[in-house]
Amino acid sequence: MWLPLILLTATAAPILANPLTSPLNKRAAIDDCLKSAGVPADAQGSSDWRADVNPFNQRLPYTPVAIAVPTTVEHIRGAVSCAAKLGIKVTPKSGGHSYASFGLGGENGHLVVELDRMSKVTLDKTTNIADVQAGARLGHVATELYKQGKRGFSHGTCPGVGVGGHSLHGGFGFSSHTYGLAVDWIAAATVVLANSTVVTASPTENPDLFWALRGAGSNFGIVASFKFNTFAAPSQVTAFQINLPWNSASSIASGWGKLQDWLAAGNMPKEMNMRVFGSPSQTQLQGLYHGSSSALRTAVQPLLSTLGASLSNAQQYDWLGAFTYYTYGGTVDVTHPYNTVETFYSKSLVTTALPSAALNSVANYWINTAKRVSRDWFIIIDMHGGPKSAITSSTTNSANYTSSYAYRAPEYLFLYELYDRVNYGSYPSNGFSFLDGWVKSFTDNMKQEQWGMYINYADPTMKRAEAVGNYYRGSLSRLQQMKAQYDPNEVFYYPQSVEPRK
């Protein structure tokens, strides 16, 4: 029991000090509330606590006030209710791969709701709709869907990423040109709101919330489970690489220009999913073709001729084999416990075709600056849009499938991940200017409507207003209204969350 501290002055009325301003008092209060509500939680300092608080990006560690580890929807409700009563911010953590450590709150003092003990995947073989708990990781989801019915959905290449963060903010991967984003396959979601009520969001139930969740889901509640539509997994998938002769600024600008013209003209087959991968040692086109290796060779030949490039590898697999290929020998079916860490800085972009000034600026930076950086950096340029992309198709954008994901126009050709890491020690304080400068070489030569950013590659160096503007573009105003409706007190706050506005 606490006793109020009374502060007296000659003229002021007594002021009651808030006992929860102390981190220790907050911790004791939330621990007591969680225990009373029957919500499982990590014991401070335990092996579970140490594992759950260990950030993927070692550059950004944060300390929560408590870590709830629910196994039921009622546990999530209890955790949210306790935090809201005590004025503590709540952060759901699905896989923990946020580049900005937003799964830990992006700052100290949050209640983290660690979801990875909720990882069940169940496929209805009659409807081909899968029930997926929000703590499942992508490799486990892909494995179970294939095992239970040879089905698939749009996942990324990293099996340890949580399905929650991946899907609720877009969810791009090596099937997105063919089948769209992971967010496009969400049929419904069970959501715990800031007032601790549980609702269903779907095209017919709370459709405004459904729109907001599908693109900016971390702002509006905790999704406890999803219903995903699925597609029949292709029986043949071919992994391939194409060596690019991009050895000078002029060859990069010329080759990139030809590539974007080819993509914008609708010449990329729907079955092809592809990215440019650039690093200090190589530049390649890498991808998965949903078909046989012989079909790939035929389909890709016109591009090879256009680029003056060569196909260096083409290996045919089944659906799961192709997923495994791009994990580079890693385990696919991963659940709890799982932890992998790196130390890095990352940025993102989404752009239309690059104007010539941008092409030249970016290419010059690549050769004259990036190639002189000795750290383990890479740039990924995903083929995102174009006339044949499922991300921008009329089906994806129909009434039942509209979402707050901002980059639906076919003109948004490219999605970028720029990543700079160190393999030991701390990230250098003078390292940030490297990727900042590379992004600036794009944006200084483009109009604002020609580019944006992708929150699944979050950059915590941006101020809140700048970040949400870059992530959500034309969806932001409506998202702010939805935030005011569903979470006016910002229970689900983090440093780059959407701010409520009426």
Side-chain angles (χ1 to χ4, degrees):
M1 181 176 180
W2 62 272
L3 296 175
L5 174 64
I6 301 177
L7 303 178
L8 298 176
T9 68
T11 58
I15 300 173
L16 296 181
N18 183 351
L20 292 183
T21 56
S22 161
L24 290 176
N25 286 341
K26 279 189 174 184
R27 181 179 298 173
I30 191 68
D31 286 348
D32 286 347
C33 188
L34 293 175
K35 184 176 180 180
S36 297
V39 179
D42 287 343
Q44 297 271 343
S46 66
S47 58
D48 281 339
W49 174 278
R50 291 193 298 271
D52 289 337
V53 82
N54 193 26
F56 171 59
N57 189 350
Q58 295 283 284
R59 190 174 62 80
L60 298 169
Y62 298 107
T63 302
V65 68
I67 303 175
V69 286
T71 58
T72 67
V73 177
E74 284 304 308
H75 290 159
I76 299 174
R77 286 187 67 192
V80 172
S81 177
C82 283
K85 288 175 187 175
L86 297 170
I88 296 170
K89 301 304 182 185
V90 181
T91 297
K93 178 170 170 267
S94 177
H97 276 72
S98 168
Y99 287 6
S101 294
F102 286 155
L104 294 172
E107 61 184 11
N108 296 329
H110 284 221
L111 170 63
V112 170
V113 181
E114 174 66 73
L115 295 168
D116 72 352
R117 278 67 158 181
M118 299 176 66
S119 60
K120 190 174 181 181
V121 177
T122 306
L123 177 68
D124 185 322
K125 295 181 181 179
T126 301
T127 64
N128 289 319
I129 293 174
D131 283 307
V132 179
Q133 290 185 314
R137 299 178 187 274
L138 296 180
H140 181 60
V141 177
T143 300
E144 286 299 314
L145 292 182
Y146 193 76
K147 183 194 301 183
Q148 294 179 35
K150 293 198 172 177
R151 306 294 293 183
F153 92 119
S154 289
H155 52 68
T157 57
C158 181
V161 167
V163 71
H166 174 75
S167 301
L168 291 171
H169 302 107
F172 187 91
F174 267 159
S175 58
S176 292
H177 188 258
T178 307
Y179 293 111
L181 302 168
V183 74
D184 300 325
W185 292 86
I186 300 174
T190 299
V191 190
V192 178
L193 299 177
N195 62 6
S196 72
T197 60
V198 181
V199 301
T200 298
S202 74
T204 56
E205 295 181 75
N206 302 297
D208 56 344
L209 179 61
F210 188 60
W211 174 88
L213 287 175
R214 297 168 74 249
S218 57
N219 294 279
F220 299 98
I222 299 180
V223 173
S225 64
F226 298 90
K227 288 188 180 295
F228 280 108
N229 292 309
T230 63
F231 53 79
S235 59
Q236 298 174 323
V237 182
T238 302
F240 65 92
Q241 290 85 43
I242 297 167
N243 291 327
L244 293 173
W246 290 10
N247 302 314
S248 65
S250 60
S251 64
I252 292 174
S254 174
W256 195 332
K258 292 174 182 177
L259 178 63
Q260 70 182 14
D261 289 346
W262 174 82
L263 182 58
N267 293 323
M268 182 166 165
K270 185 177 180 182
E271 298 80 12
M272 188 176 290
N273 297 269
M274 190 167 64
R275 68 189 184 191
V276 175
F277 181 88
S279 72
S281 60
Q282 66 177 352
T283 306
Q284 289 186 325
L285 284 168
Q286 303 175 340
L288 293 179
Y289 182 83
H290 293 192
S292 67
S293 59
S294 60
L296 163 71
R297 293 177 188 275
T298 299
V300 81
Q301 189 55 52
L303 178 61
L304 298 179
S305 299
T306 297
L307 298 179
S310 59
L311 182 66
S312 63
N313 182 50
Q315 297 185 49
Q316 186 175 306
Y317 300 93
D318 63 11
W319 177 248
L320 271 189
F323 188 174
T324 303
Y325 182 88
Y326 279 108
T327 66
Y328 303 107
T331 303
V332 171
D333 189 3
V334 290
T335 54
H336 174 83
Y338 173 84
N339 208 344
T340 184
V341 298
E342 295 190 357
T343 302
F344 64 94
Y345 178 51
S346 182
K347 297 182 81 73
S348 72
L349 280 171
V350 184
T351 74
T352 62
L354 300 188
S356 59
L359 274 175
N360 291 327
S361 177
V362 171
N364 282 322
Y365 197 94
W366 192 324
I367 295 298
N368 297 324
T369 301
K371 286 287 189 180
R372 297 177 182 177
V373 173
S374 59
R375 292 185 298 276
D376 187 14
W377 61 264
F378 63 79
I379 180 172
I380 289 175
I381 309 166
D382 285 304
M383 309 298 110
H384 173 276
K388 292 183 180 176
S389 172
I391 297 170
T392 60
S393 73
S394 58
T395 300
T396 303
N397 291 308
S398 66
N400 285 345
Y401 287 88
T402 55
S403 71
S404 53
Y405 181 76
Y407 306 108
R408 293 297 188 179
E411 291 76 19
Y412 285 112
L413 295 183
F414 302 118
L415 168 64
Y416 307 75
E417 179 182 5
L418 300 96
Y419 197 100
D420 183 35
R421 62 188 164 197
V422 294
N423 295 319
Y424 55 88
S426 302
Y427 188 81
S429 59
N430 62 357
F432 297 94
S433 60
F434 164 45
L435 293 188
D436 290 346
W438 207 345
V439 167
K440 199 169 185 294
S441 72
F442 287 85
T443 59
D444 279 358
N445 295 285
M446 304 184 78
K447 298 176 182 177
Q448 188 179 62
E449 62 267 23
Q450 293 178 308
W451 65 273
M453 293 182 174
Y454 181 47
I455 192 172
N456 274 358
Y457 308 143
D459 173 10
T461 66
M462 290 189 290
K463 300 291 187 183
R464 186 181 190 184
E466 177 190 9
V468 296
N470 287 340
Y471 295 145
Y472 303 119
R473 289 298 192 221
S475 297
L476 179 58
S477 178
R478 185 177 172 191
L479 287 171
Q480 290 170 329
Q481 294 172 23
M482 293 296 98
K483 183 72 169 178
Q485 178 180 346
Y486 285 99
D487 186 18
N489 297 320
E490 299 191 86
V491 172
F492 301 109
Y493 166 88
Y494 56 94
Q496 292 181 351
S497 59
V498 172
E499 190 174 3
R501 289 185 187 169
K502 301 207 175 180

